Every structure is written in C-alpha cells, then in structure tokens.
Amino acid sequence: MLDTALFYIFAALTLGGGVLTITRRSAVHSAIWLITSLLGVAGLYLLQRAEFLAGVQVILYVGGIMVLFLFVIMLVNLDQAAKEKRFSGQKWIALACVAAVALQALWFVSKGAGRFTLGQPSIAGENLGNSEHVSRVLFSQYLLPFELASILLLVAIIGAVVMAKKRI
Amino acid sequence: MTFALSFYTLAVVKALVLLGILLITLVYIQWVERKLIAHIQGRWGPNRVGPHGLLQPIADSLKLLTKEDLTPPHVHKLIFVMAPFLAVSLALISIAVIPFGGEVEVFGVRTTLQLTDLNIGLLFIFAVTSLGVYGIALGGWASNNKYSLFGALRSSAQMLSYELSLSLGVVGVLLLSGSLSLRRIVDSQAGYYFGFLPRWNVFHGPLPQLVGFLVYLTAAFAETNRVPFDLPEAETELVAGFHTEYSSMKFALFFMAEYANMITVACLATVLFFGGWHAPLPESWGIQYAPLVVGALVAGLLLYHSQGAFAGKQRRSMQVFGVVAALIGAAFLLQPVRVLFSPLFWFAAKSGFFLFLYIWVRGTLPRFRYDQLMGFGWKVLFPVGVANVLVTALMVALFG
C-alpha cells in the first residue's frame, strides 16, 4: 500500500519534472525541474530495493552532472535565448513520432502480457547487499561492456582536452 | 504493533536527542572558534555577554532572529527563500547515518547509538553532501547580483572538483573494510596490533590509509568552504559571496549549514579513519580511566587559573566549571556510566580534535588564489587519490 503510494509520488515527480523541464522559459528553472525528475528516478530505484543505484543516481546525476549544467547555464548569456520562439515548426512530426511510439508500447504490452517477466528486486534474506550484487554482476557477466564503456569515456575526455587546448 | 510503536517512539526520541546535541554543538562551536581565533591573534574574543562570553552565541542567535528579514526587490523570491533551507536541511540530514557508539542499554531499552544504519551509509552521506551545493549555487543565482553569482559559480566548480578527491580518499577505506555501512566500517577497525597499536584504518594493514586520510581531510576543507578554500565567500573580492543579499535568519541558516557540514565531516573522518568510538589503547592499559584523568586535569587547570588575574564573575564561573569537570570525571568511576559514555567520550574527543583542526587551520593559513585552488585539486590531490586507490587495491589483492 505504502509502496504503491510512493511509486505514484515518485512517478509523478519524474514525469511532471520532465514535462516542466521542456516547458519552462528560464533555463535555470528547467534545470531545477530536471533535478526533480532525476530525484524521482532515484526514488523509483529505492522502491526496487536498488539502494546502490539510487545513491549513484543522486551522486552522479543530481550532484555532479546537473551542477555542471547549472554552472554552464549561469556562465552563458541566456537572455537572447529566452526571447526566441521556443518550439520550432516541427510540432506535427513530433506528435506523430510520439503517437507511433505510444502505439508500439501499447501493442507490446497487449500482445506480450504474461510472456515476459519483469526484473525482480534483489533477493531479501540473502546475505549480500545490493552493492555487492551489482558489483558481482558488473565485474563478471558484464565485464566486457563495462570496460568498453570506460574506454569510451576516456576517449571522450581526451577528445575534450584536445579540442579545448590548442597546445598541450 | 507494540513493536512498531516502540520502534517509532524510539526513533523519534533518538532523533530529538541527536538534534538537541547537534544544535547545541552548532551554536557553541562558533563560540569556541571565536575564542580560539582570538587567542591565536592575541585578542580576548567575546567576553562581555555572560562569563567568558559564554552567552554570546545565544545573544547572537536572538539578534539574528529579530533582525529585519530583508528580501531585495530584484531577487527570484521562491528560490531565494528556498536556498538557505535547502542548505541547512541537507547539512543536518547527513548526521543521521553516523554511528556514535555500539549497542547500549538505557532504562531497559537496547538500542544502537545511531539514528539509522543504512547499508549504503557512506553513499548516502556523499549523495546528501553533493546536493548541498545547490543551496549555495541557487542562492547565489536567485540573488540576482554579480558578486553572489560569482560566489555561486566558484562554489559549484570547487565542490565538483573536490568531491572527486573526497570520494577517492575514502575508497581505500572501503577496500579495507569491504562495506558501505558505516557501522560495519567501524566494527572492522576494532582490536589492536601487537597489543597496543589500534587497528584503525590509518594504521590498518595491509596498507595504512594515511595518504587517503590526508586527501580526504584536504578535500573536506574545500567541500565545507572553509579557509584556506573559502573562495565562494572571499570578502576581499566578492563582498560576501553567495550570501551577500541574505540577512537575518536566512543568513543564519547558511551559517548553520556550514558548521553542520563541518561537524559531519569531522565525525566522518573519525568513523572512517580513526576507529569511531574505539579507544586508542586496549583496556589492559587502563585506558578506560582516561575520561577520569581528563576530567581531573581540566578541573585542576580551571581551579588553578581561577586564582590568577580574573575578577569577580569570571573567577567564580571558572571555579564552578572546575567543579563540574571534576564531577563529570568522577562519574566515570561508576561502571554503568563508564560503559555507556566511554565510547561517546572517545568519539567526541576525536571529532572534537578535527573540529579544533579546522579552527587552527583558519587561524594559520591564508586563502588560496582561485587558479591555485583548481590547480591543486586537479593536479595534486586527484592523482594522489587515484594512486592511493591503486596501491591499496594491489595490496589488498596480494595480502588482504
């Protein structure tokens, strides 16, 4: 009962935050709503007993990346951008895309109901915490993708440094 | 049902006790700071309100409460009001997962001296402190003032850079103890090497975390915006930085947040690196009588000095405090008091030392220049932190 109530609260935070992110005129307000949305996602992780994921979500996205966003927003001059027309003329194409995706999702749910299982929250009673579970899977089953992702990030960092500095 | 009820009652009682202690510490750490800084600089410090200025913090609080709460016309109202509350509530929340002692029995109720033991306790603290920057950043932005904005910008850049080093300094401890739960981290530091060297993480094999501790401590100074890293509020360049436009209680909230963060960071240093509530020597060396000795020493010192050049009120208050210290020391002769308060004594002593270190450094070091701050964070602290993690991981893999 409490879980259900919390789920709807967090879901509302996530979706409402997302909608407000793209409709606010001030970039800082958008950023604040995006933070709300990300916190909602962290709450959903907590409901699934993925404490580690929730913690990392808050530390990385809310405490790290969004601070950088705010930082950049405060540095650049956004007065001009605020005066411009916000939504370009592609409204109908966007609506068509959304409708297509919604239909797909509906079809998927109606056809596939009962055929696929949702991910289960980590087993309670087992003596391992959530962090241990995540690390065990991450460093055995998904080791290759994990390392590839880290190389990708390294490439991105080096690229950023090369672009930012003419002479190193 | 009765269990659930007693659980909630217990939680509320513990939270209230903790909050009370925290707020009193918050108020009086400022008195201690002003006194210490004054003595470092050859001044007297506050000495007008009450004996030795002891009532000064209360007078200050009243002053801040009753001052006019000014909201400048050009600010973004909602965010301007929200920011200080955000800062202070986040700063106070993180104390909830700090373990102050082991399991105790008070009036027949068994409980741990900790509000809640999360299995991701350390991540929780980092998450909450990483959110703390929003109080400063949004407050500075909402003030709509170029100095405030610069304070906010500096603070976000500084916190982002130093948070990395802060986490890296702690990773070594995690490798040694293998848990994110603060209680388990403290438990893993129980016991002694060779019968006298405590197994605290700064001495813990296979690799003592001394380097990790120094990285953590330096980054913590920057995270809490303290001298020598208090660039966000550098008076000489930025008026008062992000809180230029704040007055009255809202200003006091920012102030409280800073000191609450200091306390959290000091407690965390104790928990992670200095064995939490464990005594520095085994009981066979008679360390359980240390509080007694400290009480007697403080009492002797106060009574001796009360014979000096102090007049009237000052002299009497020193005598009173001397007797109180003697009584507190004598209380440790009683077995139940000793069992309950010895862990708290050690925890308070270690955390108190780190708080003293903060003040000491403030009285000693000048402020960094901004490019020095960034250069130091990224070119010195970060590589050292990474190297410490790598070496610790190797040692744990080989000998752990």
Side-chain angles (χ1 to χ4, degrees):
Chain A
M1 182 58 209
L2 187 65
D3 271 13
T4 320
L6 282 174
F7 171 77
Y8 281 112
I9 291 172
F10 288 135
L13 271 182
T14 312
L15 293 177
V19 168
L20 284 166
T21 305
I22 54 167
T23 51
R24 291 299 90 187
R25 194 165 273 277
S26 157
V28 171
H29 292 187
S30 290
I32 293 173
W33 283 114
L34 188 51
I35 293 165
T36 320
S37 180
L38 291 170
L39 283 176
V41 175
L44 290 177
Y45 285 147
L46 265 188
L47 278 184
Q48 293 297 309
R49 289 193 221 149
E51 303 98 356
F52 179 77
L53 217 50
V56 169
Q57 164 89 2
V58 174
I59 294 175
L60 281 187
Y61 284 93
V62 184
I65 292 171
M66 284 317 292
V67 177
L68 268 183
F69 269 42
L70 264 185
F71 188 80
V72 173
I73 291 171
M74 287 177 186
L75 273 181
V76 287
N77 185 12
L78 286 169
D79 291 348
Q80 187 60 38
K83 287 189 195 103
E84 300 262 323
K85 200 158 157 274
R86 265 179 308 164
F87 297 111
S88 53
Q90 294 156 346
K91 200 192 288 175
W92 294 110
I93 302 172
L95 275 178
C97 289
V98 169
V101 172
L103 275 178
Q104 253 183 357
L106 265 180
W107 183 79
F108 181 65
V109 170
S110 64
K111 280 282 174 187
R115 273 203 228 152
F116 59 93
T117 49
L118 291 170
Q120 294 300 311
S122 62
I123 311 105
E126 200 175 328
N127 212 9
L128 278 173
N130 178 247
S131 331
E132 285 88 339
H133 267 301
V134 170
S135 60
R136 191 155 287 187
V137 176
L138 201 59
F139 288 107
S140 56
Q141 203 176 342
Y142 297 106
L143 184 64
L144 190 66
F146 179 74
E147 296 293 346
L148 282 179
S150 69
I151 291 175
L152 194 67
L153 288 176
L154 185 68
V155 170
I157 294 172
I158 294 173
V161 171
V162 169
M163 281 167 78
K165 284 209 161 186
K166 291 281 180 294
R167 273 189 17 232
I168 299 170
Chain B
M1 192 58 215
T2 50
F3 169 74
L5 193 70
S6 82
F7 169 76
Y8 286 120
T9 340
L10 191 65
V12 168
V13 168
K14 273 160 80 172
L16 286 179
V17 169
L18 185 61
L19 191 67
I21 296 174
L22 186 63
L23 288 181
I24 291 171
T25 322
L26 268 182
V27 169
Y28 271 91
I29 186 77
Q30 292 169 36
W31 177 82
V32 173
E33 172 158 22
R34 288 177 68 179
K35 272 291 195 195
L36 275 174
I37 293 284
H39 282 281
I40 288 173
Q41 297 168 347
R43 299 181 283 117
W44 278 107
N47 63 354
R48 283 289 172 264
V49 193
H52 307 281
L54 266 174
L55 298 179
Q56 185 72 45
I58 296 168
D60 281 346
S61 315
L62 284 178
K63 180 195 77 175
L64 283 168
L65 268 173
T66 49
K67 260 190 169 178
E68 185 190 357
D69 192 357
L70 199 75
T71 306
H74 52 262
V75 302
H76 187 287
K77 282 239 174 51
L78 181 67
I79 299 178
F80 183 77
V81 174
M82 206 178 67
F85 288 96
L86 197 68
V88 81
S89 50
L90 287 171
L92 291 177
I93 282 174
S94 48
I95 207 86
V97 292
I98 301 265
F100 296 98
E103 212 175 16
V104 292
E105 193 168 332
V106 191
F107 305 125
V109 183
R110 287 197 72 78
T111 179
T112 49
L113 292 176
Q114 182 182 19
L115 214 51
T116 175
D117 182 31
L118 295 181
N119 59 3
I120 52 155
L122 194 62
L123 276 187
F124 176 80
I125 288 191
F126 280 154
V128 170
T129 46
S130 73
L131 291 185
V133 66
Y134 284 116
I136 294 174
L138 290 178
W141 176 79
S143 297
N144 203 359
N145 164 330
K146 58 188 169 209
Y147 296 114
S148 302
L149 187 63
F150 265 103
L153 279 177
R154 281 185 175 187
S155 132
S156 10
Q158 175 178 333
M159 286 209 164
L160 266 181
S161 316
Y162 279 82
E163 214 164 62
L164 271 175
S165 312
L166 193 77
S167 324
L168 281 174
V170 167
V171 170
V173 170
L174 294 183
L175 286 169
L176 288 183
S177 58
S179 175
L180 283 167
S181 150
L182 293 175
R183 173 162 298 278
R184 278 211 240 155
I185 289 175
V186 174
D187 284 342
S188 75
Q189 300 177 63
Y192 301 89
Y193 289 118
F194 320 118
F196 69 92
L197 189 66
R199 297 171 66 103
W200 299 347
N201 277 330
V202 277
F203 306 121
H204 204 292
L207 188 77
Q209 286 303 307
L210 197 61
V211 178
F213 170 65
L214 289 177
V215 170
Y216 170 84
L217 194 69
T218 320
F221 273 94
E223 277 288 295
T224 46
N225 288 332
R226 292 283 302 183
V227 177
F229 301 112
D230 62 339
L231 275 299
E233 41 186 303
E235 305 92 348
T236 44
E237 314 158 28
L238 292 179
V239 194
F242 63 91
H243 57 59
T244 306
E245 303 285 4
Y246 282 93
S247 56
S248 179
M249 206 53 211
K250 294 207 209 66
F251 169 74
L253 287 178
F254 272 125
F255 220 63
M256 270 172 72
E258 179 181 329
Y259 282 88
N261 276 329
M262 266 170 70
I263 293 175
T264 308
V265 163
C267 289
L268 204 57
T270 310
V271 166
L272 293 176
F273 296 97
F274 285 83
W277 59 85
H278 294 300
L281 285 170
E283 289 222 344
S284 55
W285 290 48
I287 197 68
Q288 66 270 40
Y289 297 108
L292 193 67
V293 177
V294 170
L297 275 178
V298 171
L301 212 64
L302 283 175
L303 290 176
Y304 172 75
H305 278 296
S306 72
Q307 303 303 313
F310 291 106
K313 205 167 60 173
Q314 312 271 355
R315 168 175 301 188
R316 262 201 314 286
S317 66
M318 278 184 115
Q319 285 162 347
V320 170
F321 286 124
V323 172
V324 169
L327 283 178
I328 290 175
F332 274 85
L333 277 173
L334 303 170
Q335 173 72 15
V337 173
R338 203 159 63 216
V339 169
L340 181 57
F341 284 102
S342 274
L344 288 176
F345 171 81
W346 287 116
F347 194 92
K350 292 170 193 173
S351 309
F353 172 76
F354 289 120
L355 287 175
F356 170 72
L357 197 67
Y358 268 102
I359 299 167
W360 194 9
V361 166
R362 184 183 160 191
T364 312
L365 291 180
R367 182 178 294 140
F368 273 85
R369 218 172 52 221
Y370 194 66
D371 56 321
Q372 289 173 330
L373 170 97
M374 281 299 162
F376 179 74
W378 285 104
K379 292 180 192 158
V380 180
L381 214 53
F382 182 66
V384 170
V386 172
N388 181 53
V389 169
L390 290 179
V391 175
T392 312
L394 183 69
M395 295 300 267
V396 169
L398 287 180
F399 308 107

